[in-house]
Amino acid sequence: MKIACLGGGPAGLYFAISMKLRDAAHDITVFERNKPDDTFGWGVVLSNETFENLAKNDPLSAGEIRRHFAYWDDIAVHYRGQKIVSTGHGFSGIARKKLLQILQQRARGLGIELRFETEVASAAELAKSHDLVVAADGLNSRTRNEFAAHFKPGIETRKNKFVWLGTHQKFDDAFTFIFEATEHGWVWAHAYQFDADTATFIVECADDTWQKFGFGAMSQDENCRACETIFAKYLGGHRLMSNAAHLRGSAWLNFPRVLCETWSYDNIVLMGDAAATAHFSVGSGTKLAMESAIAMANYLRSEPTMAAAFAKYEDARRTEVLRLQSAARNSLEWFEDVERYLHLDPVQFNYSLLTRSQRISHENLRLRDKTWLEGAEAWFQRLAGAGDNTVRRPMFAPFRLRDMRLKNRVVVSPMAQYKAIDGCPTDWHLVHYGERAKGGAGLVCIEMTCVSPEGRITPGCTGMYAPAHEAAWQRIVDFVHAETDAKICCQLGHSGAKGSTQLGWEEMDAPLKSGNWPVLAPSAIAWSPHNQVARAMTRADMDLVRDQFVASAEMAARAGFDMLEIHCAHGYLLSSFITPLTNRRSDAYGGSLENRMRYPLEIFHAVRAAWPAEKPISVRISANDWVGSDGIEPRDAVAISRLLQEAGVDICDVSAGQTSIAARPVYGRMFQTPFSDRIRNETGMATMAVGNIFEPDHVNSILMAGRADLVCLARPHLADPYWTLHAAAKLGDRGEAWPPPYYPGRDQLYRISGSAEPVPTAV
Ligand SMILES: Cc1cc2nc3c(=O)[nH]c(=O)nc-3n(C[C@H](O)[C@H](O)[C@H](O)COP(=O)(O)OP(=O)(O)OC[C@H]3O[C@@H](n4cnc5c(N)ncnc54)[C@H](O)[C@@H]3O)c2cc1C
Ligand SMILES: Cc1cc2nc3c(=O)[nH]c(=O)nc-3n(C[C@H](O)[C@H](O)[C@H](O)COP(=O)(O)O)c2cc1C
């Protein structure tokens, strides 16, 4: 095959090498606009895994790369006058220039023609004279633009500014992050050694800080001097250097996240940064480029036609790219939002930084650096009041709200059972909640329990509006208190426009087949075209419902509940006041967010006055309507939480969605946790996270990183009432109390669940 590689970066060169190794008869030319040693940038990092892939593909160049590697195992974080070091991270770095020289030499040795200082004006032209054109022309790929209508590139320019500098100061003991507070805001550096006397020094900051420094108007030299001043105490008198002569102006950039919808056109295929980028903070751009080169070379050999090879290449590499881009997005967003975390204690800040991409889990961190993680766990337990010498996972730390003390951080999330009769809980509820309380969670929250018959969602919903309800709930609460050390929370709610609907396992949210009752809402809007239009509440209705909430709270107090949660989420009555999607009122209860919050806050204040002062109250909110700017967005949720916090709400239970049939949620592991993270770290309010959290590791990393104070699990507790005790057994933690009659079962589980030795609970 006659092959043209457009671009002599890692992708173009390594593809040429990989093809030639598979068939020496290929006639390959690499076209590169720069001179051979004229490369921008400083060092790049490669993981051990990537290196193994390179070694399998071409042991010779891999050996040369290895000879020039700088290795380091530690990550050091300078933050608030402290240096925190953790180990076991295993990186290696190489100068970009050296990497390219090795690849150039290898390519020449294999008979590949390298044409430097050759600007290619059009890939289409090359495509006429070659069987295959690999467009590896980098981040600003001209080929991608030339065929933009076909490749359909999605380019998202990220918020932060960064500049890629170098220094002769040594950072050879650790990959180093430095966070510096300046008069214009925080500026931070990512620094790593890549050869004996040079280190990469990437400086990054928010746009606002960048503007205030006036970096944009500086020459590259002036920029280096300004950054030297900021980081003087870490540079030991060494200078910062720029080698971005190819960039105009100050050389600061905004990272563009690139992903093309299609990667090939006729006999042209995109590779490396031209096809997709990964943010530098996960250090994977070169990895992606070189591994894509290997994949393409393999498929061109294994597939019968070029088109089939392109299809396979795109299919396989897209999955890998999406996986990396998702980790990179988490990581770059962490840096974009870093000011949110800059109040954290250095231990928690470091943990948050290390786990930012969500690729490193809590237990993975233990494998990397057990000592550091145990120190962090001890810090967490100490802060939680567990005693100075306790080393346990964060999920097993106590938590206190007013006078309520929880033994651990796991919460059984409220889940409607639809098994009540005329609002009255039955033996189903006794057994159901009793089992969950026995199962080890620190807090069990009962399902949305309605303040009136009309306020029920379905005829199977529980209520707290009749003496019989109070007595039935008291029986359940008494059982929980007598037989377990779990606490129990009563969630009170009113269904609003989503009321008078079928049981959860029938047609959810659909009107009853018969016997519908009229429903109330802030405005005369139906939940869906199939539901009845609600009656807009008058002031008298609002007084009545408020009084019903108060009466229910009084009953819950008499029944002995430890905590109350007011349900202001999921499109039910109070939630439908908060979201502009369903609140169209023109009085003091509609319009601005303050107005829309007025009624839910009125209810809260009335309930708070009736609820024992020593017991906490939580409010559950939908932090995102998932409809874009027409509805509640996470930033509005911060404003909502501030109002709740000011009103004296003890904790915000951060859920999302179910407020509109137009919602388009983006699901995924822990998908609602970022909202809790944002609220907790921007307002300082205690939060509960919920939503697709199902592994102990999720719970531990959420808590340890300070993304929530408590973690709610709903569906996992339907599948396993003993989720917490099982998690403890699996993790080798022997500190959770089992009900005495179950000791033989516990002991057997301990014996068969992995670790023979119990994890010490104190050192
Ligand atoms: C600040 C920063 C830090 C980074 N750190 C790392 C890291 O630690 N680890 C890592 O793996 N990656 C890192 N990267 C990313 C990495 O540099 C790129 O992902 C990688 O270089 C992509 O390789 P490529 O071959 O696709 O593109 P490039 O390396 O950009 O190569 C493209 C080549 O094509 C040439 N070219 C372009 N147009 C033409 C034309 N019309 N005619 C002729 N030649 C042309 C260019 O001169 C260039 O040499 C970092 C990137 C940045 C910005
Ligand atoms: C069967 C079922 C019933 C639910 N009922 C309620 C409820 O009564 N009140 C409430 O706030 N959330 C309710 N939810 C939502 C859960 O509390 C939780 O927010 C959601 O299921 C996401 O958590 P998960 O991924 O752990 O299941 C219910 C969820 C399920 C699965």
Side-chain angles (χ1 to χ4, degrees):
M1 252 204 284
K2 191 168 181 219
I3 302 170
C5 293
L6 204 178
L13 285 169
Y14 205 62
F15 174 74
I17 293 167
S18 303
M19 281 304 279
K20 203 72 175 168
L21 285 171
R22 280 158 184 76
D23 186 346
H26 290 313
D27 170 6
I28 309 178
T29 310
V30 176
F31 298 87
E32 168 59 49
R33 61 154 75 108
N34 291 332
K35 297 192 191 109
D37 54 358
D38 192 23
T39 172
F40 71 90
W42 299 91
V44 293
V45 292
L46 294 171
S47 67
N48 291 343
E49 183 205 357
T50 304
F51 182 77
E52 276 163 28
N53 292 338
L54 300 186
K56 258 187 254 151
N57 185 57
D58 179 25
L60 213 129
S61 60
E64 270 301 286
I65 292 171
R66 183 191 282 280
R67 254 180 10 94
H68 292 90
F69 265 167
Y71 287 96
W72 66 96
D73 222 17
D74 294 357
I75 293 183
V77 181
H78 293 268
Y79 167 68
R80 293 197 182 279
Q82 287 197 33
K83 178 181 178 186
I84 309 147
V85 180
S86 58
T87 194
H89 303 291
F91 292 101
S92 36
I94 184 167
R96 178 178 156 93
K97 194 181 227 175
K98 180 48 79 183
L99 174 69
L100 293 184
Q101 281 167 353
I102 292 169
L103 298 180
Q104 287 165 10
Q105 197 182 357
R106 177 69 171 137
R108 272 195 212 95
L110 288 167
I112 294 161
E113 189 186 342
L114 304 182
R115 264 192 230 166
F116 290 102
E117 299 180 70
T118 309
E119 176 88 35
V120 175
S122 156
E125 280 307 306
L126 277 186
K128 287 183 195 152
S129 51
H130 291 79
D131 301 313
L132 168 66
V133 176
V134 173
D137 47 355
L139 196 58
N140 301 313
S141 168
R142 186 180 286 171
T143 313
R144 195 176 62 218
N145 294 341
E146 194 177 345
F147 299 102
H150 187 81
F151 293 131
K152 299 195 188 77
I155 302 180
E156 189 184 275
T157 305
R158 301 305 312 196
K159 288 190 286 189
N160 280 354
K161 294 280 185 189
F162 73 95
V163 63
W164 199 354
L165 304 175
T167 178
H168 292 312
Q169 165 66 330
K170 290 246 185 287
F171 288 98
D172 52 358
D173 53 347
F175 190 113
T176 302
F177 292 102
I178 305 168
F179 292 86
E180 274 300 290
T182 74
E183 74 270 33
H184 298 312
W186 286 79
V187 184
W188 54 97
H190 314 232
Y192 53 93
Q193 199 75 25
F194 62 80
D195 66 22
D197 55 10
T198 331
T200 294
F201 199 90
I202 301 169
V203 180
E204 187 181 3
C205 63
D207 188 70
D208 180 52
T209 307
W210 185 80
Q211 300 282 359
K212 286 183 183 150
F213 266 105
F215 282 134
M218 294 183 193
S219 68
Q220 293 190 14
D221 209 44
E222 288 165 340
N223 252 306
C224 289
R225 303 296 81 80
C227 291
E228 278 162 16
T229 310
I230 296 169
F231 295 104
K233 55 178 184 280
Y234 308 96
L235 290 171
H238 290 280
R239 317 216 78 178
L240 289 174
M241 306 172 284
S242 172
N243 66 359
H246 64 296
L247 295 177
R248 261 170 283 142
S250 66
W252 285 84
L253 300 169
N254 289 80
F255 188 83
R257 176 220 178 246
V258 174
L259 183 61
C260 293
E261 266 183 43
T262 338
W263 294 3
S264 62
Y265 176 63
D266 201 4
N267 61 340
I268 302 173
V269 65
L270 294 179
M271 192 172 286
D273 276 6
T277 57
H279 191 250
F280 58 85
S281 64
V282 292
S284 296
T286 306
K287 165 200 164 75
L288 274 186
M290 294 176 84
E291 290 180 344
S292 289
I294 300 174
M296 184 79 249
N298 281 341
Y299 291 130
L300 282 168
R301 205 157 88 135
S302 68
E303 297 311 302
T305 61
M306 200 151 75
F310 286 176
K312 281 244 170 167
Y313 161 75
E314 236 184 273
D315 193 37
R317 294 307 295 164
R318 185 177 292 279
T319 311
E320 178 64 12
V321 161
L322 288 176
R323 208 174 55 80
L324 252 170
Q325 282 197 337
S326 149
R329 172 184 287 269
N330 293 336
S331 176
L332 70 85
E333 284 180 353
W334 190 90
F335 283 105
E336 286 177 351
D337 296 330
V338 73
E339 306 222 358
R340 185 185 296 159
Y341 306 112
L342 288 164
H343 67 282
L344 293 178
D345 179 280
V347 174
Q348 194 156 48
F349 182 81
N350 192 44
Y351 184 95
S352 179
L353 170 64
L354 293 177
T355 55
R356 69 190 183 280
S357 73
Q358 289 179 23
R359 282 193 303 185
I360 301 178
S361 69
H362 192 75
E363 295 311 317
N364 184 271
L365 214 47
R366 193 183 311 280
L367 293 178
R368 290 170 187 237
D369 191 344
K370 189 165 181 276
T371 311
W372 185 82
L373 188 69
E374 286 186 356
E377 289 179 336
W379 169 87
F380 191 91
Q381 294 284 346
R382 219 167 29 246
L383 205 74
D388 277 354
N389 295 322
T390 307
V391 181
R392 297 182 71 190
R393 269 106 178 151
M395 65 189 277
F396 304 120
F399 186 66
R400 194 179 163 149
L401 279 173
R402 299 203 180 211
D403 284 356
M404 183 183 76
R405 196 171 181 282
L406 301 178
K407 62 181 167 172
N408 63 43
R409 305 295 182 107
V410 181
V411 179
V412 176
S413 199
M415 278 179 289
Q417 297 296 297
Y418 311 106
K419 294 285 277 184
I421 297 171
D422 291 331
C424 197
T426 66
D427 284 353
W428 173 272
H429 299 88
L430 175 69
V431 174
H432 172 75
Y433 291 115
E435 279 300 285
R436 268 95 205 138
K438 286 194 298 181
L443 180 66
V444 176
C445 190
I446 65 161
E447 65 207 87
M448 173 165 135
T449 293
C450 309
V451 297
S452 65
E454 315 74 47
R456 289 175 303 162
I457 310 167
T458 76
C461 287
T462 51
M464 188 70 97
Y465 49 81
H469 302 168
E470 186 184 319
W473 282 120
Q474 186 172 345
R475 181 168 169 243
I476 294 167
V477 173
D478 285 350
F479 174 86
V480 170
H481 287 159
E483 302 293 354
T484 79
D485 47 12
K487 302 293 181 203
I488 181 159
C489 171
C490 176
Q491 188 186 58
L492 288 181
H494 187 295
S495 53
K498 288 175 85 175
S500 188
T501 55
Q502 298 179 31
L503 306 186
W505 53 81
E506 295 172 351
E507 203 183 333
M508 191 135 170
D509 294 332
L512 295 170
K513 293 208 171 85
S514 65
N516 283 292
W517 61 83
V519 296
L520 289 176
S523 306
I525 294 174
W527 165 248
S528 82
H530 309 294
N531 294 69
Q532 57 177 302
V533 175
R535 184 163 66 75
M537 287 172 84
T538 61
R539 184 61 244 186
D541 293 324
M542 289 162 79
D543 290 346
L544 177 69
V545 171
R546 182 201 57 215
D547 293 347
Q548 288 168 340
F549 267 93
V550 171
S552 297
E554 286 166 350
M555 286 184 182
R558 286 194 299 269
F561 280 99
D562 303 293
M563 175 174 167
L564 214 57
E565 177 164 282
I566 302 178
H567 199 343
C568 295
H570 302 168
Y572 299 114
L573 184 70
L574 301 182
S575 160
S576 64
F577 267 89
I578 300 174
T579 169
L581 299 173
T582 43
N583 182 342
R584 303 278 161 74
R585 295 179 76 99
S586 52
D587 60 6
Y589 298 91
S592 68
L593 180 64
E594 284 66 25
N595 281 0
R596 287 182 273 122
M597 283 294 288
R598 198 181 303 279
Y599 186 56
L601 287 173
E602 246 177 62
I603 301 254
F604 168 73
H605 285 300
V607 165
R608 184 64 266 181
W611 181 245
E614 70 281 6
K615 295 186 180 186
I617 300 186
S618 146
V619 167
R620 178 170 263 210
I621 62 165
S622 283
N624 193 344
D625 285 335
W626 299 113
V627 297
S629 56
D630 289 346
I632 296 292
E633 293 187 283
R635 69 163 168 266
D636 304 312
V638 174
I640 292 169
S641 308
R642 279 193 213 285
L643 293 169
L644 297 176
Q645 192 181 26
E646 279 162 27
V649 173
D650 298 291
I651 190 165
C652 184
D653 184 354
V654 189
S655 186
Q658 298 175 52
T659 50
S660 164
I661 55 168
R664 294 289 170 268
V666 183
Y667 294 114
R669 257 180 334 143
M670 306 183 267
F671 71 115
Q672 295 171 165
T673 302
F675 313 139
S676 161
D677 181 349
R678 184 160 179 185
I679 290 171
R680 185 175 188 274
N681 288 302
E682 287 188 17
T683 68
M685 187 178 194
T687 62
M688 304 197 230
V690 65
N692 217 14
I693 299 164
F694 49 88
E695 285 180 2
D697 218 278
H698 300 161
V699 179
N700 288 322
S701 60
I702 289 169
L703 294 167
M704 190 70 230
R707 309 178 85 201
D709 296 274
L710 295 174
V711 180
C712 305
L713 290 85
R715 290 165 298 170
H717 277 118
L718 289 183
D720 181 4
Y722 292 80
W723 189 90
T724 306
L725 293 182
H726 289 161
K730 206 162 109 193
L731 291 167
D733 185 290
R734 304 298 185 248
E736 290 301 290
W738 282 61
Y742 296 173
Y743 283 171
R746 174 198 69 181
D747 295 343
Q748 184 190 42
L749 187 63
Y750 283 176
R751 269 196 308 279
I752 59 179
S753 59
S755 111
E757 286 300 312
V759 166
T761 56
V763 289

